Amino acid sequence: MIRPRPRRNRRTPAIRDLVRETTLSAKDFILPVFFHEDAENTPISSMPGVTRWSVDGLVKEAGEAFALGVPAVVLFPKIEEALKTSHAEESHNDGGLVPRVIRALKAAYPKLCIITDVALDPYNSDGHDGIVQRDEHGELHILNDETVEVLCQQALCHARAGADIVSPSDMMDGRVAAIREALDSEGFQHVSILSYTAKYASAFYGPFRGALDSAPKEGNKKTYQMDPGNSREAIRETLLDEAEGADMLMVKPAGPYLDIIYRMRETTTLPIAAYQVSGEYLMLKTAAAAGWLDEKAIVLESLTGIKRAGADMILTYFAKQAAVWLK
Ligand code: PBG
């Protein structure tokens, strides 16, 4: 009689290497980076260990990540308060901070993949991802189609500066199709769209909004970001984004939403990205800083879990550090 002994496949490190189903590599990572107009590199108090870079500092940081094998960065600007308007005109200024940074990065590292965030919140005086209108009862409304027009301008501005991938994080309806059409009509057929397909209205974004000073001035994002209780809705968004021409899909946050990554993996053949967001970073970082958890072990385990659930790539503030650990 055969006795099953699963432990035989765990007996030695060499056997464990042979049977491992999920492996992490620096090539799986996308590094989110923060930057501003100032000449200083400023530590971000809401995200210990993360810096808001000057343009020069950012070029150096991106170069270090690329040298460690991280193929891509995603850009998050902190825009000066004086440039923020209700219609976020600065979001598509060709002389603005983001286009200048794209050109500086491309000049220094032509092979680095540059991803840009397409949403209005850093540029919007209301702090929302879309254009805000107030009705006669004082209620806020986020205008969908008017916002999509501005997002198309923003995506084109990033494409003109040399972005490889534009990544709409705003959750307006129909924006993937509209951005695809705008890019194609201006000769940017080669620019990809990484859509935030299932972006939840999450409290885990808190430290990020502190980093960019981009929290909504009033109200919350629940009329456009998804309800954490829902998963069928993520499938609906997946089918729409696929039909609208997205090249890659994203789930955000990552760790508390592994079931969503898994369900989307079963639904689509498109590559899936997962965003380990600022609150997830902060939880791991603070527990490690207190000496309560082993940082290297928990970070690599959390990233492995995200990949095992079905993510092809992971946006993580640990990208550089994890790349060093995986060397
Ligand atoms: C905004 C945007 C947010 C994040 C990425 N893009 C914040 C939000 O939607 O309020 C969060 C990233 C993080 O928390 O690390 N378009």
Side-chain angles (χ1 to χ4, degrees):
M1 183 190 155
I2 296 170
R3 279 183 216 281
R5 289 190 183 272
R7 286 186 56 198
R8 269 197 295 267
N9 285 349
R10 305 174 199 141
R11 193 171 60 85
T12 69
I15 293 173
R16 292 197 294 276
D17 278 344
L18 289 174
V19 302
R20 185 165 303 116
E21 299 170 43
T22 306
T23 50
L24 280 179
S25 141
K27 296 196 190 326
D28 302 326
F29 303 144
I30 297 167
L31 176 67
V33 288
F34 300 108
F35 51 94
H36 54 196
E37 207 66 76
D38 310 6
E40 309 289 310
N41 298 320
T42 315
I44 296 174
S45 56
S46 61
M47 297 179 70
V50 178
T51 302
R52 195 182 310 114
W53 302 100
S54 67
V55 176
D56 290 346
L58 175 63
V59 171
K60 191 161 162 282
E61 170 75 357
E64 284 175 20
F66 193 54
L68 286 166
V70 176
V73 294
V74 56
L75 307 182
F76 292 109
K78 181 176 195 295
I79 301 299
E80 289 165 26
E81 213 51 47
L83 293 174
K84 299 185 184 182
T85 56
S86 64
H87 283 63
E89 279 84 358
E90 182 63 14
S91 65
H92 48 91
N93 171 6
D94 285 315
L97 179 58
V98 167
R100 269 183 284 127
V101 159
I102 296 171
R103 288 191 287 264
L105 287 171
K106 274 289 167 198
Y109 307 103
K111 294 198 171 126
L112 173 68
C113 174
I114 298 178
I115 307 175
T116 60
D117 195 69
V118 174
L120 305 187
D121 49 320
Y123 307 93
N124 180 323
S125 43
D126 296 294
H128 277 281
D129 293 24
I131 296 169
V132 174
Q133 190 177 57
R134 189 182 296 275
D135 69 17
E136 65 272 30
H137 310 292
E139 293 272 344
L140 297 190
H141 299 276
I142 309 299
L143 303 179
N144 193 91
D145 299 6
E146 291 80 348
T147 298
V148 170
E149 282 177 33
V150 184
L151 297 172
C152 288
Q153 294 304 314
Q154 186 181 18
L156 282 172
C157 167
H158 295 169
R160 281 192 293 271
D164 295 288
I165 303 179
V166 295
S167 190
S169 71
D170 55 286
M171 292 300 280
M172 296 302 118
D173 294 331
R175 90 279 209 212
V176 171
I179 290 172
R180 185 70 271 160
E181 215 175 289
L183 290 171
D184 289 356
S185 71
E186 302 272 328
F188 297 111
Q189 287 87 354
H190 57 284
V191 173
S192 309
I193 300 177
L194 164 57
S195 175
Y196 283 69
T197 298
K199 178 174 182 180
Y200 285 86
S202 172
F204 285 96
Y205 308 150
F208 172 99
R209 294 179 190 168
L212 295 186
D213 239 336
S214 64
K217 301 274 164 19
E218 199 185 321
N220 56 52
K221 299 193 176 186
K222 291 181 187 179
T223 70
Y224 44 107
Q225 298 181 350
M226 285 172 49
D227 186 328
N230 292 354
S231 69
R232 285 196 311 268
E233 197 179 351
I235 303 306
R236 186 175 186 209
E237 292 280 6
T238 298
L239 298 174
L240 285 170
D241 278 357
E242 226 175 38
E244 290 184 32
D247 298 285
M248 307 169 186
L249 309 181
M250 196 193 300
V251 178
K252 177 185 178 182
Y257 294 84
L258 296 182
D259 58 318
I260 306 300
I261 298 173
Y262 184 75
R263 281 194 76 171
M264 282 173 51
R265 177 71 293 151
E266 303 284 287
T267 305
T268 182
T269 57
L270 291 175
I272 294 178
Y275 197 148
Q276 183 183 54
V277 300
S278 56
E280 298 177 76
Y281 170 84
L282 191 69
M283 288 197 305
L284 298 176
K285 200 74 189 168
T286 49
W292 292 330
L293 289 169
D294 173 342
E295 184 171 13
K296 176 178 171 183
I298 51 164
V299 169
L300 294 179
E301 185 175 334
S302 70
L303 295 170
T304 300
I306 293 164
K307 193 166 176 200
R308 189 192 61 236
D312 300 286
M313 60 197 114
I314 306 171
L315 294 86
T316 173
Y317 300 99
F318 290 112
K320 265 180 83 186
Q321 181 66 72
V324 171
W325 286 326
L326 291 167
K327 273 240 174 295

